Amino acid sequence: MAPSELLTLISEFNIVVDCPDNIPSCYLLNDACVLLNKPLVYGLILSYEGQVSVFNFKNGPNYQGLYPAPPSSCSVPVCEEGRVLGVLPGITGCLQANEVPKIIVEIVNSLSSKLLILNTLTLETNIIDFQNRNQRELIEKLIE
């Protein structure tokens, strides 16, 4: 999808929820949400691990605040190689869905500025706090 088509598509919505299957899509969707000032509820799954965060909400960080630069293509397995536990997409999706009403009613205790990591083998969860590195100005310069 071309960036202009993506901007047109998501401009109609108040909140974007995603679970991308590749890293470039994460950056593209993040940039579009930053430009349109839309909160992005992010989910990622790989093997036995799910990750959930909220980006670009109430001046919080965006995806590039967590991952300033993309990893090398050889360090990230594609979905076909990742072997995902069958229930993991549902669990991760439920955690993402849990964040949407928090955004709607503006609950401060969302996963904005935090990354929730769930290991379904051990059922351990970790929440990592990360800094706000607002990339809006950089993104706007890149599209000029």
Side-chain angles (χ1 to χ4, degrees):
M1 175 178 291
S4 61
E5 293 173 347
L6 181 61
L7 287 169
T8 300
L9 178 66
I10 68 172
S11 68
E12 301 176 26
F13 300 96
N14 295 325
I15 300 168
V16 177
V17 180
D18 84 325
C19 192
D21 63 354
N22 63 71
I23 300 298
S25 294
C26 296
Y27 286 92
L28 181 62
L29 193 53
N30 173 74
D31 293 352
C33 287
V34 169
L35 289 172
L36 295 172
N37 199 29
K38 306 280 184 183
L40 173 62
V41 181
Y42 163 80
L44 177 108
I45 57 174
L46 182 61
S47 298
Y48 301 100
E49 183 178 290
Q51 297 181 4
V52 177
S53 189
V54 174
F55 299 120
N56 203 46
F57 176 58
K58 298 187 90 48
N59 296 317
N62 60 61
Y63 184 78
Q64 288 181 312
L66 182 59
Y67 300 109
S72 68
S73 60
C74 62
S75 69
V76 179
V78 294
C79 287
E80 294 83 20
E81 298 170 357
R83 297 186 182 217
V84 172
L85 181 65
V87 298
L88 185 56
I91 294 169
T92 304
C94 287
L95 291 169
Q96 287 178 275
N98 187 58
E99 294 304 302
V100 173
K102 294 180 190 179
I103 293 169
I104 292 169
V105 297
E106 299 186 358
I107 292 176
V108 178
N109 196 17
S110 73
L111 286 174
S112 180
S113 302
K114 298 175 179 84
L115 177 67
L116 181 142
I117 302 171
L118 169 66
N119 181 322
T120 56
L121 282 180
T122 63
L123 291 179
E124 293 178 322
T125 58
N126 292 303
I127 297 179
I128 299 169
D129 291 318
F130 59 95
Q131 297 295 317
N132 186 2
R133 295 182 189 150
N134 197 329
Q135 301 288 324
R136 184 178 183 87
E137 295 83 18
L138 175 63
I139 295 166
E140 287 175 344
K141 287 180 185 177
L142 289 174
I143 64 164
E144 288 178 352

